Amino acid sequence: MKVLSVTSEVYPFVKTGGLADVTGSLPKSLQKFGIRTITLVPGYPALLPAARAGAPLLLFDEILGESASLRHIQTEDQVLFVLDIPTLYERPGGLYLDESGRDFADNWKRFAALSLAAARIADGILPGWSPDIVHTHDWQTALTSVYMRAMGNGLPVVTTIHNLAFQGQFSAGLFPYLHLPARMMSLDCLEYYGDMSFLKGGLMTSDAITTVSPTYAREILTPRFGMGMEGVLAVRRDKLKGILNGIDDDIWDSANDPYLPATFDASNPQERRHNRAALCQELGLDQDEGPILSAVSRLTWQKGMDMLADVAEEIVYRGAKLIVCGQGDAAIQDLLLKTAARFPGRVAVHIGYDERLAHLIHAGSDAVIQPSRFEPCGLTQLYALRYGSVPIVSRTGGLAETVIDANDAAMGAGVATGFQFHPVTTEGLRHAIRRAIEIFQYPDLWQRLQNQGMTARFSWERSAGLYAHLYRQLLDEAESGNDNLRNRAVG
């Protein structure tokens, strides 16, 4: 089976968050099921040296009025198609934001072009290769199925919602520039509260919709978590399925991690102390025995980082230390930086994402905090469990499914792996942190929590199997539909 995965980022080439981890690791796991994936991504500057090393696979006549070519990168684990449109992707800044931190004004065109290119590949424009299934991810690639249906292409499409908060909503006045038939600007497709939504178009035209956890699939059908899209999802409820994300065991393996001063696993967790010492030294924290709490996250309201800033002072006063690594809202960043300045040696804040530092934080801190107000799946808590850092999480989405609260019953049964809190408020978070710091005073109990987390397994194998089953089901349905059409034609 051949799958075209269409995404705006993919690890290890370009990454801003968990989307890249998923699109980078899922194809490797699907190979075990006889599924070969090629991933289409934009030609960002970081990809161009490798992509332009050889001749282009294809020169497009044009894509939305821009000169474009399709290039190719192949590694041991991945095959990429790279859409090379210098006017749209070869520019300073990030994947979605300019150098001042604002959305690129032409993001609508940048990702419509990516989706149109994907639709043309799905339609057979590339000699010698065409997919059996198309898998799109989030709003940036959701127009793929809209373009395909406009072309009359009925190839099965899976759309995965990684975060419903981002919907690709743009002015309806831009619709003529998408080069789509007028019928696509309708309530049954792109029209959305007087504007247009790329994500809505994808949800209405794809054959299956997945989210990154079963709990999130249920949550987004409600007004609280549906972000205005709950009505659209209710219409397509029979196509909606939650499949929990996994982690790449090759990348997140504490026993063989090249980023760590000391490797370890569940059989020798005491080696973590070397990473703990290295982490404190690197970030200028005091080398005492108090617990180290950390957060590796986007610094946003959704992730609850404003609540973390509110409880930072209490963390310090209870004898613990706090590390924060990430970037996001300027106001939250500023608040955290001011807190670090007030408590030198006790609070460290690193603005920006650093893959090496993220591995060291998980391997050296005692607990990882994720106070998200909503969390489709979350990968940080899975990395934390694997690396012996006990998660402190809000009870929502994938966090609720992957962390077992250290209540008396779970502790007695030997299954607890972390701390959950609800309601998702500053006081709820404060109480969970107090519980964690209290149990940390009992080394035997804390080591039991660590061990139970480290021996839990959240690899891609099971989830990849569910995707493989979904793909085959869609192909069977498509074939059955073709047979019915042929039978009617003969009749």
Side-chain angles (χ1 to χ4, degrees):
M1 189 190 305
K2 294 176 291 183
V3 173
L4 176 65
S5 174
V6 194
T7 179
S8 58
E9 54 186 86
V10 58
Y11 182 84
F13 302 96
V14 281
K15 172 179 174 176
T16 66
L19 169 61
D21 289 331
V22 172
T23 56
S25 56
L26 176 58
K28 290 197 294 182
S29 297
L30 287 171
Q31 291 181 31
K32 301 171 186 174
F33 298 91
I35 297 169
R36 298 293 179 263
T37 304
I38 295 182
T39 302
L40 175 66
V41 290
Y44 302 118
L47 289 162
L48 293 179
R52 290 176 177 171
L57 298 176
L58 178 71
L59 296 175
F60 292 95
D61 292 337
E62 56 83 32
I63 292 187
L64 301 184
E66 306 292 338
S67 298
S69 61
L70 187 68
R71 297 181 179 273
H72 175 256
I73 296 175
Q74 183 161 355
T75 69
E76 184 178 348
D77 296 320
Q78 293 171 287
V79 181
L80 302 187
F81 286 155
V82 179
L83 181 62
D84 190 357
I85 307 181
T87 52
L88 297 184
Y89 308 126
E90 195 175 358
R91 58 178 65 167
L95 306 190
Y96 317 113
L97 308 177
D98 63 21
E99 291 178 294
S100 62
R102 294 189 296 263
D103 287 340
F104 286 116
D106 61 350
N107 270 345
W108 65 272
K109 186 174 186 179
R110 298 171 75 232
F111 296 110
L114 180 67
S115 298
L116 178 54
R120 290 183 180 175
I121 293 169
D123 214 39
I125 194 173
L126 187 64
W129 193 87
S130 61
D132 302 303
I133 293 277
V134 176
H135 192 158
T136 68
H137 298 270
D138 273 350
W139 76 264
Q140 291 92 342
T141 62
L143 274 188
T144 300
S145 55
V146 178
Y147 279 115
M148 289 172 62
R149 302 319 179 217
M151 295 173 182
N153 186 331
L155 205 67
V157 178
V158 177
T159 294
T160 295
I161 303 170
H162 296 263
N163 192 335
L164 190 60
F166 303 101
Q167 302 177 355
Q169 187 170 352
F170 300 101
S171 167
L174 294 171
F175 177 77
Y177 301 101
L178 297 179
H179 299 182
L180 281 165
R183 69 179 186 275
M184 296 302 186
M185 189 56 184
S186 68
L187 192 62
D188 293 332
C189 193
L190 286 171
E191 195 278 331
Y192 188 63
Y193 297 105
D195 289 331
M196 61 177 177
S197 165
F198 287 12
L199 180 61
K200 182 193 172 188
L203 298 179
M204 295 299 291
T205 54
S206 55
D207 299 276
I209 302 165
T210 67
T211 68
V212 290
S213 75
T215 296
Y216 192 59
R218 295 188 295 270
E219 288 178 340
I220 60 177
L221 292 169
T222 68
R224 180 181 176 189
F225 294 99
M227 303 291 171
M229 201 71 76
E230 63 272 11
V232 174
L233 291 164
V235 170
R236 311 241 48 213
R237 186 171 192 159
D238 61 328
K239 304 296 183 183
L240 178 63
K241 180 181 182 66
I243 300 178
L244 190 67
N245 280 343
I247 63 174
D248 190 325
D249 285 337
D250 294 331
I251 295 169
W252 290 93
D253 179 6
S254 61
N256 297 285
D257 191 328
Y259 291 127
L260 303 184
T263 56
F264 62 96
D265 57 23
S267 67
N268 62 341
Q270 65 279 0
E271 294 301 305
R272 294 185 85 252
R273 68 184 187 278
H274 301 298
N275 299 309
R276 194 178 196 274
L279 181 62
C280 289
Q281 181 176 3
E282 178 168 337
L283 296 178
L285 293 176
D286 298 339
Q287 295 274 5
D288 58 60
E289 297 303 315
I292 301 175
L293 312 185
S294 65
V296 181
S297 173
R298 284 187 289 112
L299 306 182
T300 63
W301 179 90
Q302 179 216 322
K303 297 292 186 178
M305 289 297 109
D306 55 319
M307 292 188 291
L308 181 59
D310 288 340
V311 302
E313 185 170 325
E314 178 164 347
I315 289 172
V316 173
Y317 287 150
R318 287 184 176 270
K321 296 180 284 290
L322 175 64
I323 297 169
V324 179
C325 175
Q327 60 187 11
D329 294 348
I332 295 176
Q333 289 182 176
D334 185 58
L335 187 58
L336 288 165
L337 287 169
K338 287 179 178 177
T339 303
R342 285 176 57 208
F343 299 105
R346 309 307 296 177
V347 177
V349 175
H350 175 90
I351 300 300
Y353 183 77
D354 183 314
E355 187 76 15
R356 180 198 62 82
L357 181 58
H359 282 244
L360 182 58
I361 289 172
H362 284 93
S365 58
D366 299 294
V368 165
I369 305 173
Q370 281 182 276
S372 302
R373 288 182 169 89
F374 62 93
E375 189 61 68
C377 176
L379 292 174
T380 299
Q381 83 279 11
L382 303 184
Y383 303 149
L385 288 167
R386 185 75 189 272
Y387 278 51
S389 190
V390 178
I392 302 171
V393 303
S394 52
R395 190 179 302 150
T396 187
L399 301 178
E401 293 187 16
T402 54
V403 177
I404 301 174
D405 183 67
N407 55 57
D408 289 344
M411 289 293 283
V415 296
T417 58
F419 301 88
Q420 290 188 8
F421 67 93
H422 191 82
V424 186
T425 62
T426 300
E427 284 310 305
L429 173 59
R430 195 186 306 275
H431 180 63
I433 289 172
R434 288 171 183 167
R435 290 171 60 208
I437 293 176
E438 181 180 352
I439 290 185
F440 185 81
Q441 310 309 313
Y442 300 89
D444 290 346
L445 291 179
W446 193 263
Q447 288 170 18
R448 191 186 309 167
L449 277 177
Q450 286 182 305
N451 183 264
Q452 286 156 190
M454 292 179 74
T455 54
R457 281 292 170 261
F458 293 99
S459 71
W460 267 110
E461 186 170 351
R462 180 178 180 276
S463 297
L466 293 173
Y467 272 112
H469 176 77
L470 176 61
Y471 292 163
R472 293 196 173 97
Q473 184 180 29
L474 292 176
L475 286 177
D476 289 344
E477 290 173 359
E479 183 58 31
S480 175
N482 290 337
D483 287 343
N484 291 336
L485 285 174
R486 283 193 290 269
N487 291 337
R488 286 200 296 271
V490 170

